[in-house]
Amino acid sequence: MSTSAAPPRVLTVAGSDSGGGAGIQADLKTMLALGVHGMSVLTAVTAQNSLGVRGAWELPVEAVRAQYRSVVDDIGVQAVKTGMLASAELVEAVAELISGTDAPAVVDPVGVSKHGDPLLAASALDSVRTRLLPAATVATPNLDEVAQLTGVRVRSEDDLRRAAAAVLEFGPRWVLIKGGHLAGDAVDLLTDGTEEHVLRAPRHDNRHTHGTGCTLASAIACGLARGRSVPEAVVAAKEYVTGAIAAGFALGAGIGPVDHGWALGRDVP
């Protein structure tokens, strides 16, 4: 009896979204859609839906560390992605874990939800700056997170380079500044301080964009796990998330999710 070779393995370290549009759920859907084996370390449980976050409960550091070690020590990983880490204690523990893992790390420094609900304690910001970002192969902050972390407010495309320089000072190898909140095309800036890539995509008239940040970071991790360079992984991830946004659908009474399976078709028997 023959067995198939295992696909690349990607580990997400993030919170649970009970509505299924963001967090661990979005990460694992993205990984399945992009042909890698997704694994998870749960950092927090949230009660949320299309209208917002109703509550959040973080897991003990020991539980997070045990989940991580059980996966990495036995199965191994080709890339790690981090999302909601909630507290300074969890940020520091996860930073230590990914620093000791021989695999690229995509850090999505989640600060607030799509609805504006806080997902990171204010006291944890310094730990993100000094412990987590230095461990990142790629950091993927949106404009609100850039302002939280650096004080730089991006009001136009011209400000993206200044924002990237401010984040790079904390030590990630690459930074992707997500300009999706600006007017006009969806413009992102990827740079390592020397090499620079401006990524543009048309803006789709679709309000159902819950989970875009989680989805993009996970897609980048999938590309890195396949051995792509950072620019190659980011370009492919941007294409995937743009399609997912275009196919986003209404769910509940508020903001619906992007469609993680948009490229797989819907002809299910």
Side-chain angles (χ1 to χ4, degrees), residues 89-224:
E89 292 78 15
L90 285 176
V91 169
E92 290 173 13
V94 170
E96 180 183 349
L97 288 165
I98 63 176
S99 294
T101 302
D102 185 19
V106 181
V107 170
D108 184 17
V110 175
V112 296
S113 74
K114 176 69 68 178
H115 305 87
D117 302 296
L119 298 175
L120 181 72
S123 58
L125 282 172
D126 203 48
S127 296
V128 172
R129 295 182 190 105
T130 62
R131 301 290 298 280
L132 188 62
L133 289 176
T137 306
V138 191
T140 64
N142 63 28
L143 302 187
D144 290 335
E145 290 153 0
V146 167
Q148 264 190 324
L149 291 166
T150 71
V152 173
R153 301 203 171 272
V154 176
R155 295 183 172 84
S156 72
E157 190 177 328
D158 293 339
D159 296 328
L160 292 175
R161 189 174 288 113
R162 186 164 56 93
V167 177
L168 283 171
E169 285 188 10
F170 295 121
R173 281 179 47 206
W174 290 82
V175 62
L176 177 68
I177 304 293
K178 300 180 294 191
H181 294 166
L182 296 174
D185 287 348
V187 180
D188 304 328
L189 176 65
L190 173 70
T191 180
D192 63 355
T194 303
E195 189 179 332
E196 192 174 277
H197 302 265
V198 177
L199 308 175
R200 296 182 185 276
R203 186 175 298 280
H204 295 285
D205 185 20
N206 186 355
R207 67 189 289 262
H208 301 301
T209 56
H210 186 50
T212 49
C214 306
T215 300
L216 178 64
S218 292
I220 295 169
C222 292
L224 295 178

Side-chain angles (χ1 to χ4, degrees), residues 9 11-13 39-43 60-77 80 92-103:
R9 288 144 288 164
L11 176 63
T12 169
V13 184
M39 304 169 290
S40 61
V41 171
L42 204 62
T43 60
V61 168
E62 314 85 77
V64 170
R65 189 176 284 116
Q67 290 176 82
Y68 190 100
R69 290 262 61 94
S70 68
V71 170
V72 172
D73 293 348
D74 173 45
I75 300 170
V77 294
V80 181
E92 290 173 13
V94 170
E96 180 183 349
L97 288 165
I98 63 176
S99 294
T101 302
D102 185 19

Side-chain angles (χ1 to χ4, degrees), residues 18-57:
S18 53
I24 288 278
Q25 289 81 352
D27 297 339
L28 294 176
K29 290 174 187 178
T30 298
M31 292 168 192
L32 180 65
L34 295 179
V36 308
H37 177 67
M39 304 169 290
S40 61
V41 171
L42 204 62
T43 60
V45 174
T46 71
Q48 63 177 295
N49 53 29
S50 70
L51 297 172
V53 179
R54 298 290 180 266
W57 300 266

